[in-house]
Amino acid sequence: MNQAPIGILGGTFDPIHNGHLRLAQEALEQCNLAAIHFIPSGTPPHRTAPHASAVQRLDMVRLALQGNAAFVLDEREIYRIDPCYTVDTLTALRAELGMQQPLCLLMGGDAFLLLHSWHEWKSLFELSHIVVMQRVGHPLGNAINGANEALRDEYRARLAPAPRILRDSPAGAILVANMPALEISATDIRKRCAENKNIHYLLPDVVADYIQLHHLYT
């Protein structure tokens, strides 16, 4: 097979920030990905409604991705009003890209430890690999010991020793990669906006300017 995998990074992106972008860049380089699809969610099933509108979140992601040809804005979820499940999005991508194209679902360690609560979560392994970006000082190998038993079993059965595995099959492996420590969160950015504090250097300048222009999160 030996095709370069395509990464998938979903989220509310409310707003998108440098933590998201650095995670994607690390995954791109460490896993030799051909591209990464950024997929802003429409109606997320696991959390409350986003603060910014669908159009505003889409605009901010579009601005943030400018200048990086490997980062692709994917609008397939953003206008959906029914719950957006990852398994459905990956199924749609499979239909477009074919069954042989390796796909890599990117997520942080905290999200992975809750994977067993996702809709049809075991089906995700039939559709893509999962790349877990662990933060410095938060090794997933330690945290997984206290995780859900079924998730722990899948992790141990599917753990890949090296990124090259991602090219050898279209789906099914779990790879753990290292993410540099960047303690940036959308929650903190929204709080700073509400308190009229400076948000530059936490997210791209064009996104910070957009937030200020549209008086978001105040």
Side-chain angles (χ1 to χ4, degrees):
M1 176 171 292
N2 203 30
Q3 289 188 61
I6 292 175
I8 311 298
L9 182 61
T12 51
F13 300 124
D14 188 27
I16 190 170
H17 54 68
N18 287 345
H20 299 127
L21 297 168
R22 192 63 228 175
L23 181 151
Q25 187 63 32
E26 289 290 337
L28 187 79
E29 294 175 3
Q30 293 185 42
C31 301
N32 297 309
L33 303 179
I36 295 178
H37 285 232
F38 284 71
I39 307 182
S41 61
T43 304
H46 287 284
R47 54 200 301 177
T48 56
H51 294 75
S53 71
V55 170
Q56 289 167 336
R57 291 185 295 116
L58 195 65
D59 284 346
M60 287 189 283
V61 175
R62 183 179 290 110
L63 288 169
L65 302 190
Q66 287 178 351
N68 192 328
F71 289 175
V72 179
L73 175 58
D74 190 320
E75 301 182 21
R76 72 184 63 241
E77 284 191 11
I78 191 73
Y79 295 116
R80 287 179 56 177
I81 57 174
D82 56 323
C84 297
Y85 293 113
T86 301
V87 66
D88 297 331
T89 298
L90 290 175
T91 298
L93 279 163
R94 273 270 163 248
E96 294 171 16
L97 300 173
M99 297 307 294
Q100 297 307 307
Q101 170 63 53
L103 297 178
C104 293
L105 180 63
L106 311 178
M107 63 180 66
D110 293 344
F112 180 78
L113 292 171
L114 295 173
L115 191 69
H116 61 280
S117 67
W118 291 27
H119 181 64
E120 297 183 15
W121 69 279
K122 288 190 178 182
S123 296
L124 298 174
F125 296 112
E126 300 169 12
L127 296 163
S128 74
H129 302 298
I130 293 182
V131 173
V132 186
M133 304 299 292
Q134 67 179 2
R135 291 175 294 161
V136 174
H138 298 80
L140 186 64
N142 291 348
I144 200 70
N145 293 327
N148 172 270
E149 184 179 1
L151 178 62
R152 191 166 64 239
D153 289 346
E154 293 288 351
Y155 171 83
R156 289 172 176 165
R158 298 177 180 278
L159 187 62
R164 66 176 181 276
I165 302 297
L166 305 176
R167 303 173 70 97
D168 294 341
S169 62
I174 295 172
L175 181 81
V176 179
N178 292 318
M179 172 71 189
L182 276 179
E183 296 299 329
I184 302 173
S185 75
T187 300
D188 177 62
I189 290 171
R190 293 194 300 268
K191 183 173 182 289
R192 288 173 182 272
C193 290
E195 297 171 353
N196 199 31
K197 293 181 178 177
N198 193 299
I199 58 172
H200 282 280
Y201 314 118
L202 297 173
L203 66 184
D205 285 346
V206 287
V207 178
D209 293 343
Y210 182 94
I211 289 170
Q212 291 167 353
L213 178 65
H214 294 274
H215 307 289
L216 297 182
Y217 312 123
T218 57

